[in-house]
Structure formats: structure tokens, C-alpha cells
């Protein structure tokens, strides 16, 4: 499968996304699969609590934060906000390489593509 984002096409079957809350400095991390149905969230984790970063009731506490499996069907697109005001944006990792996605002030769209 191929993941399309910010003008890039990556031949990957899984990837991770993470970002850090601008005030609380809490990290939000997600693992996704690229499928024929779209992008499927598999696992999520936050390192601590912060405004708008509360874990769902089914999350379990582990040494490195709260973990859960999102109950969301595959998404045709995933839209990431980029305000340009947080001092850091989204990081995407796949196949051992990581990319800092640009903070353009416009949404970034991720999708499964051919």
C-alpha cells in the first residue's frame, strides 16, 4: 500500500504519528495501518494528561503513559491541523525513517493512494 501526505508518496503498510501539546508538553502517539479501505488506527498512547488530551475510559495505564486501541473504522482521509504556533508539528515515522511534517498553517491530508 502507499501513504500520500504533503506531496510525498510512501510505500508503507504501517506508520506512526506523534505530536506534543504546546502547553502541557504531553506527547500523543498513534500507530496506523494503510489498508485498501483507508487508514486504520491501531494503537494510541499519551504520556500524560493535558487540556484536550484525556484518554478514553478503556485506556490502560502503563509505565510510559496511557494506551488504548481506537474504535474507529478505516478513514478515507486523516486531516492534521497545523497552526504554526505550537513550536513543533506532527512527526510521521515509517520503515525506520521519521519526517517532521511542515507547519503550514493549513491542514495536512493523509490518505491511502495508488
Amino acid at each position: 500500500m502507499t501513504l500520500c501526505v504533503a506531496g510525498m508518496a510512501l510505500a508503507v503498510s504501517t506508520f506512526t504519528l506523534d505530536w506534543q501539546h504546546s502547553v502541557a508538553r504531553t506527547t500523543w502517539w498513534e500507530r496506523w495501518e494503510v489498508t485498501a479501505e483507508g487508514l486504520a488506527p491501531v494503537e494510541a498512547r499519551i504520556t500524560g494528561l493535558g487540556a484536550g488530551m484525556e484518554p478514553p475510559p478503556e485506556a490502560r495505564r502503563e509505565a510510559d503513559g496511557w494506551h488504548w486501541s481506537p474504535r474507529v473504522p478505516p478513514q478515507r482521509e486523516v486531516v492534521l491541523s497545523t497552526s504554526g504556533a505550537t513550536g513543533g508539528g506532527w512527526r510521521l515515522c515509517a520503515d525506520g525513517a521519521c519526517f517532521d511534517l511542515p507547519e503550514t498553517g493549513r491542514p495536512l491530508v493523509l490518505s491511502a493512494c495508488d
Side-chain angles (χ1 to χ4, degrees):
M1 297 300 309
T2 304
L3 172 67
C4 287
V5 59
M8 296 185 296
L10 304 170
V12 298
S13 58
T14 65
F15 65 95
T16 64
L17 288 171
D18 66 76
W19 67 281
Q20 191 172 70
H21 191 282
S22 61
V23 176
R25 298 293 181 216
T26 298
T27 301
W28 187 286
W29 176 93
E30 301 170 337
R31 183 167 55 90
W32 293 76
E33 290 182 350
V34 183
T35 71
E37 293 79 32
L39 304 178
V42 176
E43 180 184 6
R45 176 178 70 231
I46 55 174
T47 58
L49 304 178
M53 296 183 72
E54 294 81 17
E58 69 272 13
R60 64 192 181 286
R61 180 80 166 123
E62 295 185 13
D64 61 347
W66 297 92
H67 292 247
W68 69 94
S69 296
R71 297 180 186 166
V72 178
Q75 304 293 299
R76 197 177 105 150
E77 294 181 335
V78 174
V79 179
L80 305 177
S81 294
T82 62
S83 69
T86 62
W90 291 90
R91 183 173 60 158
L92 183 144
C93 299
D95 288 341
C98 293
F99 308 92
D100 289 326
L101 298 176
E103 281 198 275
T104 61
R106 296 184 313 270
L108 293 172
V109 179
L110 283 67
S111 63
C113 56
D114 296 326

